[in-house]
Amino acid sequence: MNNGQDIARAAALLAEGGLVAFPTETVYGLGADATDDDAVARIFATKGRPQFNPLISHVTDFEGANKLGIFPNDAIGLAQVFWPGALTIVIPRKAGCPVSLLASAGLSSIALRVPSHPLAQALLKAFGKPVVAPSANRSGRISPTTAAHVRASLGDAVDMILDGGPSQVGLESTVVSFLDGKVRLLRPGGIARQDLEQVLGYKLDEADAGPLHAPGQLESHYAPRAALRLNAEKPLPHEIYLGFGAFTHGPVSLSREGNLVQAAANLFRLLHEVDAAGADHIAVAPIPDTGLGEAINDRLKRAAAARP
Ligand code: TXA
Ligand code: MG
């Protein structure tokens, strides 16, 4: 397990331009000093990620975020309710924002998140600067929710992996942008659309297609090796079945009780497990599209999409 010495070593590695994988409540992140262009470039190289995909800057609290971006009132409202937690807010960069432009992929906006995981908080405090962190997996693979997933995907390519146990939420953060006078849902995630809309008091605008507003939304993004068939009420003879609620056949279920929060937490871990077991064909039970079901179905659709 980790102690204060591990945190100090991790912070020192970040300061030297190193890459440190660390736990967050959503998924594990591959962290680097957000202000160091070379370190940010190493993230793209290590993930094998297309460079137009901008990164999230992680900070300890709202004050830290407020130094980097220009918050409209409604963004402050969301931050007050959902930070620390699984929400990423995209807003215009502040003049003099020290975060590498490479992390913003050259855009004039910045993505900000305050994670709640105690180890993530400890690391950010010890380091004292924003940390960019995409999910700690090779591009196109399933996001890691345990330190073992990170080791399997990135291994020696990272300088250190902090182990904080399994990620509680299990899905990446919800990404909301406040740009051009619109409030858009760019990526469904660990906080449900309805909960955001309740705080805002209005409906979110849909993300436009195109590189600026929906980057990182490559169709096949969360791919296991196996082929996936969705909305399957039961498996065919050659398929491994990922059940949900009443649609459970065999030992593997996202949630036998039909609980979407539980299903989100289990999703990536179970996809990793059936993948590691060498499954060629996976059938997945129908998942309702409400609450966290929207994000689960989004990830499943990407996992099932044709591979490049
Ligand atoms: O839960 C999470 O968000 C995890 C943990 C580690 O914090 N991180 C994560 O990062 O999922 P990543 O890089 O895999 O996804 C970042 C998402 C992408 O969809 C990206 O396009 C979007 O945030 N994003 C980042 N900066 C943006 C910007 N300036 N404008 C629009 N979208 C942006
Ligand atoms: Mg990712």
Side-chain angles (χ1 to χ4, degrees):
M1 271 279 117
N2 301 279
N3 53 36
Q5 274 170 6
D6 289 328
I7 297 291
R9 188 159 77 87
L13 283 168
L14 289 177
E16 290 163 15
L19 301 186
V20 174
F22 63 98
T24 86
E25 68 279 18
T26 58
V27 299
Y28 275 66
L30 177 62
D33 179 348
T35 67
D36 178 339
D37 286 324
D38 294 334
V40 176
R42 268 188 74 201
I43 286 191
F44 290 115
T46 302
K47 279 188 64 97
R49 156 178 279 204
Q51 301 249 344
F52 49 75
N53 215 346
L55 304 176
I56 299 169
S57 291
H58 298 72
V59 290
T60 48
D61 52 20
F62 176 77
E63 282 65 45
N66 201 29
K67 288 182 189 141
L68 306 176
I70 302 168
F71 278 81
N73 280 336
D74 286 358
I76 297 175
L78 290 188
Q80 276 170 344
V81 175
F82 297 106
W83 279 356
L87 175 68
T88 293
I89 297 179
V90 177
I91 50 179
R93 286 169 72 105
K94 243 185 194 162
C97 171
V99 170
S100 162
L101 272 173
L102 184 58
S104 286
L107 302 172
S108 56
S109 55
I110 186 164
L112 297 163
R113 182 160 99 81
V114 175
S116 66
H117 195 290
L119 273 186
Q121 278 284 336
L123 178 62
L124 291 169
K125 282 207 183 84
F127 182 53
K129 288 202 275 182
V131 170
V132 278
S135 50
N137 53 284
R138 288 194 199 276
S139 193
R141 291 283 155 199
I142 307 161
S143 291
T145 56
T146 65
H149 294 160
V150 180
R151 223 167 280 125
S153 185
L154 296 174
D156 294 339
V158 295
D159 297 306
M160 182 175 181
I161 302 173
L162 285 170
D163 188 344
S167 293
Q168 294 295 308
V169 178
L171 278 178
E172 297 89 342
S173 60
T174 301
V175 182
V176 176
S177 72
F178 292 79
L179 298 172
D180 325 316
K182 287 203 164 177
V183 187
R184 295 184 180 88
L185 182 70
L186 298 189
R187 177 177 75 180
I191 290 175
R193 166 201 295 271
Q194 293 89 327
D195 294 338
L196 297 171
E197 290 178 342
Q198 184 158 20
V199 172
L200 289 167
Y202 52 82
K203 297 259 178 230
L204 291 160
D205 291 307
E206 289 307 318
D208 311 335
L212 202 145
H213 293 300
Q217 302 296 331
L218 301 176
E219 269 290 291
S220 167
H221 192 84
Y222 296 88
R225 281 174 205 84
L228 245 70
R229 187 168 67 89
L230 305 183
N231 286 315
E233 298 193 355
K234 53 177 189 277
L236 299 171
H238 62 287
E239 291 174 329
I240 292 199
Y241 193 67
L242 258 184
F244 178 81
F247 297 105
T248 294
H249 307 277
V252 195
S253 181
L254 290 164
S255 166
R256 277 170 203 281
E257 293 117 77
N259 177 324
L260 288 166
V261 176
Q262 208 171 57
N266 287 331
L267 177 66
F268 290 148
R269 180 179 56 80
L270 289 179
L271 285 175
H272 273 108
E273 279 175 15
V274 288
D275 226 19
D280 287 328
H281 299 273
I282 304 170
V284 187
I287 313 287
D289 217 29
T290 52
L292 291 194
E294 182 180 6
I296 295 171
N297 283 321
D298 171 78
R299 302 305 187 274
L300 284 170
K301 267 185 226 128
R302 287 172 206 290
R307 311 296 151 77

